[in-house]
Amino acid sequence: EGRRIWWDKSPDDLRERVRAGREANLVLCVVDASSSVLANGRAGELRALLGGLVADAKRKRDRVGLIVFRGRDARLIAPPSRNHAAVLSGLDTVQPGGTTPLAEGIRVAHETAKRELRRNPDLRPVVALVTDGYANVSRDGDPLGEARKAARVLRQDGITLVVIGETGSGAPQFARATGAEFYPFDPPSQRSAA
């Protein structure tokens, strides 16, 4: 049901994988801003990770956007464009905390990708979802089931989904359950112990 690749390397490996395929990419960075993901100073590491993705997108002239979800909703912080600095500026405005509407984050990414594909059908959309794989907000009472379904629907529409999260969180399981690829975003202490 889709190939999963388990990397234990660096953000460069993720950028290399995202680059495979057509030259016209749309990279949507979808970030879980709940406290469980951005706790303990992880915002700086996340900025570095996204900075690498954005730098690669800028070099390749890809369109890039930023969606953040927390509380009860998801917001498009930086609409897809070649204004790559807007993604990092947008990330600086995010206040971590609150609950995790994972399905809503995926839905907003899906709607954004479909809108961009209507404008340019040659784009190759990639959703880079930074999450711990847990959800606690939903419309139907099953937060994780709803998020998995939203991810499967996104992939059925031909949108590439990569899940970026800590190896010890629910992110790898979420990736497996949805047929997405997984990339570790482990704290430096866990990376050096591996």
Side-chain angles (χ1 to χ4, degrees):
E1 191 191 313
R3 193 170 55 152
R4 291 182 296 277
I5 298 175
W6 300 86
W7 295 97
D8 60 355
K9 304 202 175 113
S10 72
D12 291 337
D13 299 310
L14 175 59
R15 289 196 307 271
E16 184 176 316
R17 178 67 184 110
V18 168
R19 290 298 331 142
R22 287 184 263 168
E23 288 300 312
N25 282 333
L26 165 66
V27 180
L28 294 175
C29 303
V30 182
V31 178
D32 176 349
S34 65
S35 1
S36 61
V37 172
L38 294 182
N40 303 322
R42 299 291 322 264
E45 291 177 50
L46 176 61
R47 191 178 203 289
L49 173 78
L50 293 183
L53 289 173
V54 167
D56 187 60
K58 183 175 183 177
R59 186 172 57 82
K60 298 292 186 177
R61 299 194 41 81
D62 288 340
R63 296 172 65 75
V64 64
L66 174 66
I67 295 163
V68 173
F69 60 97
R70 69 180 284 263
R72 301 210 56 85
D73 62 356
R75 292 183 302 130
L76 180 62
I77 303 289
S81 73
R82 288 195 176 95
N83 178 3
H84 301 98
V87 171
L88 297 178
S89 302
L91 189 61
D92 290 339
T93 68
V94 173
Q95 294 297 315
T99 54
T100 310
L102 181 55
E104 197 59 30
I106 295 167
R107 276 194 287 267
V108 170
H110 194 177
E111 292 162 10
T112 303
K114 287 194 304 187
R115 186 171 52 247
E116 293 297 311
L117 282 168
R118 281 193 296 273
R119 292 179 188 156
N120 183 355
D122 292 330
L123 284 176
R124 178 182 177 263
V126 177
V127 171
L129 175 64
V130 180
T131 183
D132 57 10
Y134 304 123
N136 55 17
V137 174
S138 75
R139 296 177 183 174
D140 68 7
D142 179 11
L144 191 54
E146 186 179 331
R148 287 177 174 169
K149 181 179 178 185
R152 286 188 201 105
V153 170
L154 176 124
R155 290 192 63 247
Q156 286 167 0
D157 276 356
I159 299 167
T160 299
L161 175 64
V162 295
V163 176
I164 304 166
E166 289 188 30
T167 310
S169 72
Q173 293 81 6
F174 185 81
R176 276 195 300 274
T178 59
E181 296 182 29
F182 174 75
Y183 297 90
F185 177 55
D186 291 321
S189 59
Q190 287 181 16
R191 285 195 297 263
S192 60

